[in-house]
Amino acid sequence: DPNYPNYQNYYMVPHFGLKGTPKPAHYHVLINEANLGADELQGLTFQLCHAYQRATKVVGRPAPVYWAHLAAMQAQYNHTRYRDDASDVASNHSGSTGMGAGTYLSVTDKMKGVAYWM
């Protein structure tokens, strides 16, 4: 963007379009603590799109993005007031998780640092 010379962003299509035209991902560099150049940063992003273990092909986003999504989805099951709305026949689900106020269960020492949702 010409208005923000210190603001890096780029588009990338690391994957093959299986059906139709692939949609490019738009990346915004918020912090570059490693002081990588534009080519190095784009190369790292491209390599991370090949590192997702749950897919047999190249994915459209870097693997840590998918892992973060899985971790966020798993977190709802660790909430003390988790309720499975799918099993509630009389539920009139309006898009909320149904958790309300409460706390999250603590992670055991054995599970700390383990990506158990993978």
Side-chain angles (χ1 to χ4, degrees):
D1 191 1
N3 295 328
Y4 301 100
N6 296 330
Y7 180 70
Q8 289 181 309
N9 64 23
Y10 57 95
Y11 288 91
M12 182 180 291
V13 182
H15 59 290
F16 178 73
L18 297 176
K19 287 186 176 181
T21 304
K23 183 178 178 183
H26 189 189
Y27 296 96
H28 300 269
V29 181
L30 301 177
I31 298 174
N32 186 359
E33 293 176 339
N35 293 323
L36 297 174
D39 290 339
E40 294 171 313
L41 191 60
Q42 291 172 19
L44 175 64
T45 304
F46 182 76
Q47 290 172 1
L48 286 173
C49 290
H50 291 76
Y52 189 53
Q53 294 94 346
R54 296 181 122 200
T56 59
K57 304 211 181 294
V58 181
V59 293
R61 308 275 187 291
V65 173
Y66 289 102
W67 296 332
H69 177 74
L70 288 170
M73 290 299 294
Q74 184 67 31
Q76 69 179 339
Y77 303 118
N78 296 328
H79 198 273
T80 57
R81 297 193 60 186
Y82 171 72
R83 185 183 79 206
D84 187 6
D85 287 336
S87 66
D88 188 8
V89 177
S91 174
N92 58 357
H93 186 63
S94 62
S96 67
T97 59
M99 291 186 291
T103 59
Y104 286 95
L105 303 173
S106 61
V107 178
T108 62
D109 289 335
K110 182 179 178 183
M111 295 304 292
K112 287 182 181 176
V114 177
Y116 57 90
W117 58 85
M118 294 172 45

